[in-house]
Amino acid sequence: MDINLNDLLRKYKSHPYEDHQIKVPHTGTVRLHVKEGQDVTGPSGQWRHRPGTLLYVLEREGNPKRMTSKYTGTVAELRTELEGCFVQAGEPVMVIRHRLNKEEIIDRILREVLYVYAAPQRARYFFTPEVAVAIDKDRAKAFNIRPGDEVLIMSLMKRDSLLAYDGPEGVLYKVYFKHGDLIEQGAPLLGICAPDRLPFVEKVIQRIRTEWDD
Amino acid sequence: MQASQQIYSSPKKTATIFLKNIVKRDKIIIANRGEIAIRIMRACRQLGLDYVVVYTEEDRCSGHVRAATVEKGEDAAFKISNYKDPNEIFSVADHCGATAIHPGYGFFSEDFRFARRATVRNRPISFIGPRWEVIRDLGSKINTKRIAKFLDIPVIPGSDEPIYSEIEAEALAEELFQKQREEGIKRPSILVKASAGGGGMGIEEVTHLDVFRQVYRRIQNYAKRQFGDEGVLIEQCMKDYHHLEVQLLCSRHKEVVHFGTRNCTIQSTGRQKRVEVAPGFDPEYVHYPFDAAKVLDEIVDYSIRLAKEVEYDNVGTWEWIVTRDGKPYLLEVNTRIQVENEISACISRISRQKGPVNLIKEQIRTALGEKLRYSQKHITFEGTSIELRIVAEDVKRGFAPWCGTITRFEFPQEPWLRVYTHVPHDEPYEIPTEYDPNLALAIVWGQDTEEAKIRAKDFLTRTRIEGEDSLGKPIVTNLAYLKQKVDDVLRFL
């Protein structure tokens, strides 16, 4: 798989932003804590243990939940009319315009370099118990996958089925989903790198690190 | 009696007695989806009760949302994050001033903690179902088994508490295999079940002890993922039997009546019911190698005995298996309205009541404290009713669920037929992948079993379903399977 790294970098440099729509996760009464145009920060610290800027408080059943920003960026499209109102689940509250950083650019570009194994259905995905044990953060890059390997469980319509991997053999380089998350059909699940392409991937990462200025 | 008191608790003697006219002031929040939500809405309408529905993003196009908003306006439907989040249900209930919660089936219908929370919170809400203590005591298959044993009601041999140890499980499995061999059973087998499961999910059959551990671990993992409890039950697998149900209705005034029996033997490979028929046996249609009428009377009597013992106080289903030699075994009690309650209602007549029986309506009335206002002698039965569960599934591939968009869904209109569906008729409908691909329930009535069968087949022949999946392949449904299976109803094959 050949990519034009120059073109990709140029594309991201011309528009290095992603808009994240912030929706309430569940019902409740909203109290806004930010203003239009305000800069906010995402979680920080070595383990991302310090929460980001408080965006709003959602109170349900007498329990206030502080909803903090998961992204660093600027508040836009703030819906001030929702202040103090009971809202239904999924109601959009604001947008945060986030400037992509170096690691995120690497992540986006790697999707073009790696073989991406995508979700065959809109479903919840889990690693099989054996694979889940074998894969942890530190060892993931050493995990080999061959066609026919049953690495994932697809939980669809309350039924679990084993998914046999049908891509090229390679090393599991990136996991794009969280255990048990609902994944849209076609969204990436795994990023696989053929062993002979590992040096190329490392080179791409190195070049982005050198050329991208946060 | 002391032993029984350890197993289940008595109702509070100080329980509030509601008066008949209080019912009209209630507002029901329907904490469910699809066809059951539509049937609850219908019952509310018949009782003159206000209601609201909830729905998730995946269900925004479901017929239950549209029906509620068309009848009651936009404020009658609330989007929530998940049907299984109790805070969502209570939050909406408070916001819209609901005074009672109907859980339907599945979700919270048999969750005693939810039922308890509804009734003991700062702003109490009536739970439309039995008392939470009853749900707790009978909701556990194991506890039900213990109570049944205490009352000399026959139950299936196997574990009577959840097993968490693989060694213990294997020892019991070995014992059950040995017992069957001693009884001369040629192909002995056992069932491994998720203890916290229900509705036929999380059950696997084991025919050889050497694969037991593998299945045990699979069910344990499944149970942990789906129900958060890895407890497993093991019991003898009965092979040649019919699956029967007894429909009871009890009130908070210690009244107990039954609405006959149902036969739910025709199930998918995943033990999901597909064709049900009421009554449970029909000796005028099929010859049984045992006295079928006597067996039906027996299971009704046993069910009532257990209901009275625990002071059951709402609708409930007592599930039985009856072997080819006419031996009944109690499986479990479902402390909720069932999908298939309508066929029991369809063949039932209440002599002093106008119009057809609606068990959901009766369920709401009794949960809100009303008396039945009739007794068993006023209930008679007429004809045979068949329920057909229309599902988007591939029966040739192990009943694999089908995902895609339905573009045409048409069925005939007949006086002997009722169809409940949440699938819109006038616009494409994408089946949500979060839930079972159930499309509709058809309830057919006939003067006798033969007529009901002919009408069921006629309905299936005239029903049209079209659609395609994301690859453009045509929809797969179980219509042909249902048509074929209608011939098998009530027979030991």
Side-chain angles (χ1 to χ4, degrees), chain A residues 25-28 60-61 86 88-90 121-124 126 129 153 155-160 182 185, chain B residues 58 78-81 85 87-88 90-91 94-95 117 121 201 222 225 401 432-437 470:
Chain A
H26 55 69
T27 58
R60 181 182 64 171
E61 283 282 283
F86 179 85
Q88 302 188 25
Q121 296 281 359
R122 185 175 192 271
R124 292 184 190 280
F126 305 85
I153 295 171
S155 187
L156 175 75
M157 291 173 171
K158 293 197 282 184
R159 287 154 186 86
D160 286 357
L182 183 65
Q185 184 181 21
Chain B
E58 293 78 18
F78 286 84
K79 187 154 86 172
I80 57 172
S81 60
D85 184 342
N87 292 322
E88 287 290 76
F90 289 121
S91 150
D94 288 347
H95 177 73
R117 179 170 164 186
R121 62 203 295 270
M201 308 300 285
Y222 176 85
R225 254 196 322 276
T433 57
E434 281 288 273
Y435 315 108
D436 285 331
S470 56

Side-chain angles (χ1 to χ4, degrees), chain B residues 403-432:
Chain B
C403 311
T405 302
I406 294 176
T407 51
R408 182 185 177 200
F409 189 24
E410 289 171 12
F411 46 81
Q413 308 285 326
E414 295 290 350
W416 42 263
L417 172 72
R418 267 184 237 153
V419 180
Y420 297 107
T421 180
H422 59 283
V423 178
H425 297 225
D426 52 358
E427 61 183 14
Y429 174 73
E430 189 181 345
I431 300 175

Side-chain angles (χ1 to χ4, degrees), chain B residues 168-192:
Chain B
E168 192 187 331
E170 198 171 40
L172 178 60
E174 193 173 357
E175 188 185 313
L176 289 173
F177 273 115
Q178 180 63 26
K179 180 181 166 293
Q180 291 175 74
R181 275 192 292 271
E182 284 167 11
E183 285 173 358
I185 295 170
K186 284 181 184 169
R187 292 186 189 83
S189 68
I190 58 170
L191 290 180
V192 183

